[in-house]
Amino acid sequence: MLTLDSVWKSNSESPSEFILKDCSFSFQERRIYAIVGTSGVGKTTLLRALNNLVPIDRGRILLAEQDISALHPAEVRRRISLMFQTPAFVGDSVRENLDFAARFARRDKIEFSALMERVHLNPAFLNRDVTQLSVGQQQRVCLARTLATRPDILLLDEPTSALDDDTADGILTLVGEISKQEGLLTIFVTHRRSHARKLGEHVLELSDGQLRILS
Amino acid sequence: MGLFQLSFGDVAISLVLMAVAIALSRLEGLGLERSLAIGTVRAFAQLTLIGFALKILFQVNSPWLLLAVLIVMLAVASYESVRRQQVTLPSLFFITGITLSLALVVSLGVVAVMIIRPDPWYNLVVLIPLSGMVLGNGLNIVSLSANRFISEIQLRRESVEVALSLAAPPRKALHPAFKNAVSGALIPSINALMTVGLVQLPGVMTGQILAGMPPVEAVKFQIVIMMMWITTGVICGVVATSLLMTRLVNARWQVRWDLL
């Protein structure tokens, strides 16, 4: 479904160092992958490259056998959706954020109230200012916004890093449920192995520029 | 009303004012004495030189000379806009050149050709001062909006990336930064438009009245100049920031963070 084919990606801070070195791996559809690795190893950069937010130096990233560099950038991002580590917003209210995502998704319009319920948020929050929500609730809004694009692939960049254990557990369980219900390929990066084991059907490690299967 | 004429001696008396400014700076420890002194010498030298140069240019008065002067003015303005940036921006010299050329075409096309209608059409007495006003203001707006655009993108990096990751086109993802950059650069011009005639009498009008023109006639010129000044300012802000955006985002809709 999503394949890294001999990908090289340099570190933007230090272009002579490589985060991905001739890295190849195939992610299968409808599976949940957790990627672990130490801080600064390049997990975030890997997800950003998969979402086409940053260029790769060499190699190919294939989405359903098609090189993403040959696809329109919007098409890649509609099919591969990324949820960032820190909640960031593109509108003041929850509704504005969901509207923004739905506007560029070019898929069947999704019912926002149902979407809110799916991420365990009260639909009455739709008109609330995002800054009035807790960090856990903000992350749920970000997850709902990511789902509003109706993606085939969900990328999650340490979505639990700013959360306490209970809230983090709730988000992980929720992501697992949604991925299964929607039949999404989900790739989730974390530096906490317990979280990787809780959510990941396959646990990978990123080190020395390569992805290795741990379990 | 007669024409007021100043001798060089009269002009030299204005140095008393600068002496007051320098004394005040020294008294309050502002550390501006050297800059004020150098600035005064430069202003005297540059304006005297340009006064004599304009005298010669106005006597020669040819379309080719006009073109040559405009090219030099455009090149100096473009170089100055690059010099004023905090970071080295790609193609800013050319971006400023294209933007200011467009502003010149619009302003000279409307104000000179349609309103003032000089005879001959390339009359340097009309076109050079008008071009100077357009380029001076345009340069300020380009510099302010480009600097502000860069800092807004850096400040909003996370929301810009979220918008792009949601398949928004770059123009949409960068619109909040674009809007703040252009509107921020135009605030001084819009404030000037609001208070003109109430708080300040602008330079063109003041100069014409002092040179003996009836106030109502001077006001007519000033209104035309203000319209030209604001419109070219808006054109410069919008065009320069849009062109800069195309340099900062590649064809794959990826922001060139390495350039910022």
Side-chain angles (χ1 to χ4, degrees):
Chain A
M1 173 100 192
L2 186 64
T3 304
L4 294 161
D5 179 19
S6 300
V7 173
W8 291 76
K9 171 67 191 155
S10 58
N11 183 346
S12 58
E13 306 285 311
S14 158
S16 58
E17 287 173 23
F18 283 87
I19 286 165
L20 298 176
K21 296 177 193 166
D22 200 21
C23 180
S24 295
F25 194 85
S26 277
F27 297 96
Q28 303 303 313
E29 60 184 335
R30 298 172 186 272
R31 298 293 175 90
I32 301 176
Y33 293 84
I35 300 176
V36 295
T38 52
S39 258
V41 77
K43 303 186 294 295
T44 296
T45 306
L46 168 63
L47 291 195
R48 287 158 56 84
L50 291 174
N51 188 236
N52 180 46
L53 272 181
V54 291
I56 56 172
D57 298 272
R58 268 179 280 164
R60 297 183 304 164
I61 296 173
L62 304 171
L63 172 60
E65 309 301 323
Q66 283 184 293
D67 189 337
I68 64 167
S69 67
L71 295 170
H72 191 281
E75 179 61 18
V76 175
R77 291 171 187 162
R78 280 184 202 115
R79 292 169 66 184
I80 307 176
S81 211
L82 171 61
M83 181 173 157
F84 291 79
Q85 184 172 3
T86 319
F89 297 98
V90 286
D92 294 333
S93 69
V94 174
R95 185 186 298 279
E96 281 173 25
N97 275 275
L98 299 184
D99 259 336
F100 190 97
R103 196 182 322 157
F104 301 107
R106 293 197 187 164
R107 305 281 170 109
D108 295 339
K109 180 85 177 167
I110 200 160
E111 181 59 50
F112 289 166
S113 298
L115 191 56
M116 292 290 278
E117 281 169 0
R118 202 181 309 167
V119 296
H120 301 176
L121 277 177
N122 186 342
F125 282 12
L126 271 171
N127 294 322
R128 197 170 277 192
D129 194 311
V130 285
T131 56
Q132 292 176 345
L133 305 177
S134 69
V135 181
Q137 288 169 330
Q138 287 182 344
Q139 276 299 44
R140 287 171 196 268
V141 171
C142 292
L143 181 59
R145 187 179 60 194
T146 310
L147 295 172
T149 64
R150 314 283 294 268
D152 302 322
I153 298 171
L154 184 59
L155 308 175
L156 302 138
D157 183 9
E158 305 224 24
T160 55
S161 64
L163 307 178
D164 61 65
D165 284 345
D166 287 346
T167 316
D169 270 356
I171 290 275
L172 291 179
T173 307
L174 181 62
V175 168
E177 283 170 16
I178 289 172
S179 298
K180 284 293 160 200
Q181 283 164 7
E182 308 265 332
L184 303 174
L185 159 59
T186 300
I187 304 171
F188 157 72
V189 309
T190 180
H191 64 279
R192 289 154 83 168
R193 289 184 185 241
S194 60
H195 286 178
R197 280 192 294 273
K198 179 176 171 63
L199 183 61
E201 294 169 339
H202 306 273
V203 179
L204 312 175
E205 184 180 34
L206 178 63
S207 68
D208 295 329
Q210 297 285 333
L211 278 172
R212 293 186 185 86
I213 299 172
L214 287 185
S215 64
Chain B
M1 192 161 61
L3 174 65
F4 294 100
Q5 282 195 314
L6 302 181
S7 68
F8 277 107
D10 297 330
V11 176
I13 296 173
S14 68
L15 287 175
V16 172
L17 294 172
M18 186 49 70
V20 171
I22 290 174
L24 204 54
S25 168
R26 193 179 179 97
L27 191 70
E28 295 295 331
L30 301 179
L32 296 173
E33 300 91 292
R34 189 179 154 80
S35 301
L36 286 170
I38 292 174
T40 303
V41 173
R42 280 188 60 163
F44 263 72
Q46 288 165 198
L47 287 174
T48 306
L49 277 175
I50 199 67
F52 284 114
L54 286 176
K55 189 178 173 188
I56 297 165
L57 291 175
F58 292 167
Q59 282 167 352
V60 177
N61 210 22
S62 99
W64 296 110
L65 188 62
L66 172 68
L67 185 66
V69 173
L70 290 183
I71 289 172
V72 170
M73 288 167 84
L74 273 170
V76 172
S78 304
Y79 170 75
E80 181 65 18
S81 87
V82 174
R83 208 180 61 80
R84 287 186 192 181
Q85 297 305 312
Q86 288 148 4
V87 293
T88 309
L89 297 171
S91 318
L92 191 61
F93 182 88
F94 296 103
I95 287 173
T96 311
I98 292 167
T99 304
L100 294 180
S101 303
L102 186 66
L104 269 183
V105 168
V106 171
S107 55
L108 296 186
V110 175
V111 175
V113 176
M114 293 170 70
I115 299 176
I116 301 178
R117 296 185 292 275
D119 184 25
W121 65 266
Y122 52 82
N123 192 341
L124 272 69
V125 174
V126 174
L127 298 185
I128 296 291
L130 284 181
S131 304
M133 267 187 267
V134 171
L135 293 180
N137 185 48
L139 165 63
N140 278 335
I141 302 283
V142 170
S143 300
L144 285 172
S145 51
N147 258 330
R148 177 80 182 266
F149 188 50
I150 299 302
S151 48
E152 285 278 336
I153 294 176
Q154 287 167 331
L155 196 70
R156 296 167 181 273
R157 179 172 181 151
E158 287 169 346
S159 57
V160 165
E161 293 215 308
V162 166
L164 288 172
S165 78
L166 292 168
R171 190 158 185 93
K172 186 73 194 168
L174 293 171
H175 187 261
F178 175 84
K179 177 174 173 270
N180 282 1
V182 178
S183 60
L186 289 169
I187 284 172
S189 306
I190 293 168
N191 287 343
L193 188 65
M194 297 290 183
T195 58
V196 68
L198 296 175
V199 179
Q200 49 153 345
L201 294 182
V204 171
M205 188 173 139
T206 309
Q208 285 184 319
I209 291 172
L210 287 175
M213 184 180 270
V216 175
E217 291 304 311
V219 162
K220 286 184 196 166
F221 265 95
Q222 188 59 55
I223 291 172
V224 170
I225 297 292
M226 286 299 283
M227 297 304 109
M228 176 186 82
W229 194 63
I230 294 290
T231 306
T232 54
V234 176
I235 290 172
C236 286
V238 169
V239 173
T241 314
S242 299
L243 290 175
L244 188 55
M245 193 187 299
T246 64
R247 304 301 302 157
L248 293 176
V249 181
N250 66 20
R252 300 296 304 153
W253 291 11
Q254 295 159 339
V255 177
R256 299 280 316 273
W257 298 109
D258 54 313
L259 297 173
L260 300 175

